[in-house]
Amino acid sequence: MEKLRHIGFIVDGNRRWAKAHGLPTIEGHRKGFDKVEVVIDELKGTEVEFVSFYLFSTENWGRSKAEVDYLMDLARKKIEHLTKKAEKENLRIVVMGRADPVEPKLWTKMMDAEERTKDNTGLTICVCFNYGGHWEIADAATKAIAAGEQAVTPEALEKYLYHPEVPACDLIVRTSGEERISGFQLWRAAYAEFWFIKKNFPDIEAEDCQLAISEYHARSRRHGK
């Protein structure tokens, strides 16, 4: 049985959840961030070594200023809370994404989260923030050229991805009933299994994580062979 090392979550449906409950959009985002912790708590004692969350994409800057400002403020609060949790529970945090145009103080907080948890040996939490799959590959190519790589092969390029030590995704879960990848982990998704569920992310519960693991192990993975 092939081990499930890395599971990625495309966090979707926060706004739809809020609308369905007659609440402001921002309440959906707050509830969604809370459920990130539920997923972490359920996975940290399993075979999973890495979990990544697509929390804010490079395209999300096109949302209303009020919504973006709220998300940035929420991220400031949550990254500090998550860092303290990680320090206490031997979890590691890595951030995947681009610094620009994130407010420098917020990006510094995120880099501080990495630094404070870098030696922890438990579950690695990959925070995909201001992340775009095309940008990750483009940034890796730029670094490879600057490093003098003579041939940009897949093996050469992957050394320059955001946190190249993070392995390929084994399973990608997208909530809210949508069935697309939306630029998430494009390089690492090459042979990932996908599980699309109708629940909005704020409705995710611990048992859904176990269902995801079971779903993965029910698949036959051939990696193109």
Side-chain angles (χ1 to χ4, degrees):
M1 183 169 64
E2 193 166 347
K3 186 176 180 181
L4 172 52
R5 295 187 65 207
H6 182 185
I7 180 169
F9 284 86
I10 301 176
V11 175
D12 196 19
N14 291 344
R15 294 189 293 182
R16 272 167 279 187
W17 180 88
K19 184 177 180 180
H21 288 79
L23 298 170
T25 295
I26 57 175
E27 285 302 308
H29 292 310
R30 184 190 60 77
K31 186 72 169 178
F33 267 97
D34 289 344
K35 287 306 177 84
V36 165
E37 192 167 336
V38 169
V39 172
I40 291 168
D41 284 341
E42 187 63 22
L43 293 180
K44 66 188 180 185
T46 69
E47 68 192 287
V48 178
E49 299 171 30
F50 298 83
V51 58
S52 52
F53 297 97
Y54 200 10
L55 297 178
F56 190 87
S57 77
T58 50
E59 289 73 39
N60 288 157
W61 295 103
R63 295 184 177 182
S64 72
K65 184 178 185 304
E67 185 175 355
V68 170
D69 286 349
Y70 177 80
L71 284 168
M72 295 301 117
D73 185 58
L74 190 60
R76 272 188 289 272
K77 295 172 183 174
K78 292 296 184 179
I79 193 63
E80 181 59 30
H81 172 76
L82 187 59
T83 303
K84 289 178 179 177
K85 176 183 178 67
E87 288 178 315
K88 181 179 178 181
E89 300 177 14
N90 191 36
L91 309 173
R92 178 175 173 237
I93 296 172
V94 299
V95 179
M96 295 180 169
R98 314 189 88 224
D100 186 54
V102 179
E103 199 272 327
K105 287 184 179 179
L106 173 54
W107 194 256
T108 298
K109 270 185 171 290
M110 291 186 168
M111 295 302 99
D112 182 56
E114 286 194 351
E115 180 64 25
R116 286 163 58 183
T117 64
K118 66 181 181 180
D119 296 324
N120 291 351
T121 57
L123 180 70
T124 294
I125 304 157
C126 308
V127 177
C128 297
F129 193 86
N130 194 29
Y131 174 89
H134 286 154
W135 272 115
E136 180 175 22
I137 295 168
D139 286 343
T142 299
K143 292 174 185 176
I145 293 166
E149 295 284 353
Q150 297 301 305
V152 184
T153 62
E155 293 76 18
L157 192 63
E158 68 183 1
K159 295 186 297 185
Y160 301 96
L161 295 173
Y162 305 148
H163 284 283
E165 77 279 8
V166 176
C169 290
D170 298 305
L171 175 68
I172 293 176
V173 178
R174 181 164 189 154
T175 53
S176 86
E178 301 292 347
E179 297 184 2
R180 57 182 180 271
I181 195 169
S182 299
F184 178 62
Q185 298 278 20
L186 292 182
W187 186 278
R188 294 180 178 84
Y191 285 100
E193 299 293 324
F194 286 84
W195 190 41
F196 301 109
I197 59 176
K198 294 188 180 299
K199 279 187 174 183
N200 292 318
F201 193 76
D203 287 321
I204 285 287
E205 299 296 345
E207 55 264 30
D208 295 307
C209 297
Q210 295 300 330
L211 284 172
I213 294 171
S214 296
E215 178 69 22
Y216 173 79
H217 286 304
R219 308 279 181 94
S220 175
R221 303 194 76 204
R222 293 182 291 276
H223 301 279
K225 298 176 183 178

